[in-house]
Amino acid sequence: MSEAELKFFKEGTSCTIYTIQFVNDDLDEFMKFYSKFKDDLLYNPDLMRKYLF
């Protein structure tokens, strides 16, 4: 299993979001997800809501 760190991502008025980053990776898991689906943001309102939070 790879070593991972919990990384602060964003704080909102009602919650705080953290993401996971594996030590050997350049990108955290949220940015990997965003990079993979960024073109779908225009077409998927659920993804857009998560991104805009």
Side-chain angles (χ1 to χ4, degrees), residues 16-51:
T16 303
I17 299 175
Y18 291 88
T19 185
I20 296 170
Q21 182 164 1
F22 292 98
V23 174
N24 296 330
D25 290 346
D26 293 332
L27 295 175
D28 59 53
E29 293 301 304
F30 179 83
M31 291 309 295
K32 286 182 191 177
F33 177 84
Y34 173 74
S35 296
K36 186 175 181 180
F37 295 105
K38 66 182 174 186
D39 295 333
D40 294 340
L41 290 174
L42 298 174
Y43 308 109
N44 189 328
D46 291 334
L47 289 176
M48 182 59 84
R49 278 194 293 272
K50 290 175 186 170
Y51 176 72

